Amino acid sequence: MNACTYSDKEVNIIANRKEVAKLAGVSEATVSRVFNNSGPLREETKRKVLQAAKELNYHPNAIAQSFARGKSNNIGVIVPYLPKVNLMSTYYFSELLNGIGTKLGEFGYGLLLLFQQANEPKDYVKLFLSQRVDGCIILGSKNIPGEVAALENLHQLNLPYCLVNQSFSGYSFHSIDADHINGSFQAVSSLLNKGHKQIIFLNGPMEYSNSVERLKGYEKAITKAGIPLNEKLLFQGNYSRKSGFQAAIHIGPLLENCQAIFTANDRMAIGLMQGLSSLGYLAGDDYSLIGYDDSDLSTMTSPPLSTVNVPLFEMGQLAAEKVLQLASTDDKTEIHECLPVSLIERASSLNKIKRFKV
């Protein structure tokens, strides 16, 4: 758009406002106050202005209105920048963003997607100072010093924000989460109930609270079964399919004695399936496998992948709803919501153990 075209549009907005003011018999400032709902106004004056606007088919400029109110009508959604990864093709992020966008749209708000580099200093407050957003939702936050300090600053200033799928022990940051301890417990208990005594666990990075919680659920199920924790069965990936594939070279040799695997997300589970298949091991036949998230790909694998369903879309919706509440009221009640999860059993984990060595 060139400068001349922009200028012409501005002139049309002003002319329309002048016409409304003239027809209603009021000043342009009064017309602005009516549409911005600011300042004391008599009902009769409001009625005249709205009637004149209707007759002239006048629609105020939404951007100009937002600046006048000090509002952007945008909620910023902060996501980590992942090189060579299309976030919208990733089930986890696409479901969260769809939920957030759907709820924001219901209230006439836009979603402003903000990517944050891994080495970029964390400063969420500057988004509010620049008036780019009226609130923010933070995805993919990590329990690292710079992140905690930035969130503390955000929280102490009572700015509207919410974390999704991440919590920080010892802090009361606003958050929407899922019951990952119980989800992990359900998955591991299901494998134990099928006779498996030694269960391999491929987890994600421990700076994510959901990785910590999944480990707690794993340990809880193992302990309840009276089985000593074997740290040699614990592995760590980075939630990518590639890290699951690479883990196969270490996990494959263990399958002679351990024929059950639990992974912290479906992407790693699928990568692991592919890696183990190249070594001659087939899921659902040579070993049982359970993933996590219930992604769209979990039903497309062969065999279909058992997994833990996480209501990501609903979590996104709830986070958007809570941030809008914080942005529109003076109520700063702390937000801590934890949604339930459920185990979905499919063919990859329905087999009984075939050859268990003591």
Side-chain angles (χ1 to χ4, degrees), residues 66 101 104 272 305 312:
S66 68
L104 293 180
L272 182 60
L305 180 65
L312 297 171

Side-chain angles (χ1 to χ4, degrees), residues 266-338:
D266 290 348
R267 288 170 67 84
M268 288 195 299
I270 292 169
L272 182 60
M273 285 177 69
Q274 294 170 333
L276 291 175
S277 177
S278 69
L279 297 175
Y281 298 99
L282 300 179
D285 186 12
D286 297 313
Y287 65 95
S288 292
L289 177 65
I290 298 180
Y292 206 100
D293 285 341
D294 194 20
S295 66
D296 49 0
L297 293 177
S298 63
T299 59
M300 301 179 190
T301 60
S302 180
L305 180 65
S306 295
T307 183
V308 176
N309 177 269
V310 181
L312 297 171
F313 183 87
E314 290 78 5
M315 290 169 69
Q317 283 191 309
L318 188 56
E321 182 180 312
K322 295 299 183 180
V323 166
L324 291 177
Q325 288 177 3
L326 291 171
S328 60
T329 68
D330 293 328
D331 183 9
K332 302 303 179 184
T333 303
E334 291 175 2
I335 296 169
H336 302 289
E337 299 274 354
C338 187

Side-chain angles (χ1 to χ4, degrees), residues 51-198:
Q51 181 60 35
K54 182 178 181 181
E55 291 180 20
L56 294 171
N57 193 30
Y58 168 69
H59 300 283
N61 183 279
I63 296 175
Q65 277 190 294
S66 68
F67 278 113
R69 295 193 307 268
K71 296 284 186 179
S72 69
N73 277 350
N74 285 321
I75 297 298
V77 180
I78 302 165
V79 297
Y81 175 72
L82 303 175
K84 300 181 181 180
V85 175
N86 182 347
L87 288 184
M88 291 308 294
S89 70
T90 304
Y91 180 82
Y92 174 83
F93 284 108
S94 65
E95 283 293 287
L96 286 174
L97 290 171
N98 282 337
I100 293 168
T102 298
K103 182 58 66 173
L104 293 180
E106 292 177 10
F107 291 89
Y109 273 75
L111 184 159
L112 183 63
L113 197 60
L114 304 165
F115 292 91
Q116 192 158 53
Q117 299 281 358
N119 57 354
E120 182 182 355
K122 303 294 189 292
D123 186 359
Y124 302 124
V125 174
K126 68 181 179 182
L127 297 174
F128 293 87
L129 295 177
S130 64
Q131 293 190 336
R132 295 178 67 190
V133 300
D134 301 333
C136 69
I137 298 170
I138 304 170
L139 310 181
S141 55
K142 299 180 180 179
N143 192 355
I144 54 179
E147 183 81 25
V148 173
L151 291 171
E152 279 190 291
N153 193 23
L154 192 63
H155 191 75
Q156 289 171 1
L157 291 173
N158 288 324
L159 293 169
Y161 77 93
C162 188
L163 304 176
V164 177
N165 210 33
Q166 176 75 4
S167 59
F168 290 80
S169 179
Y171 297 91
S172 55
F173 301 143
H174 301 309
S175 64
I176 303 297
D177 212 338
D179 191 353
H180 298 302
I181 294 178
N182 186 46
S184 180
F185 178 82
Q186 288 184 50
V188 177
S189 295
S190 171
L191 294 170
L192 290 167
N193 290 338
K194 291 180 174 61
H196 299 287
K197 300 299 182 183
Q198 300 294 313

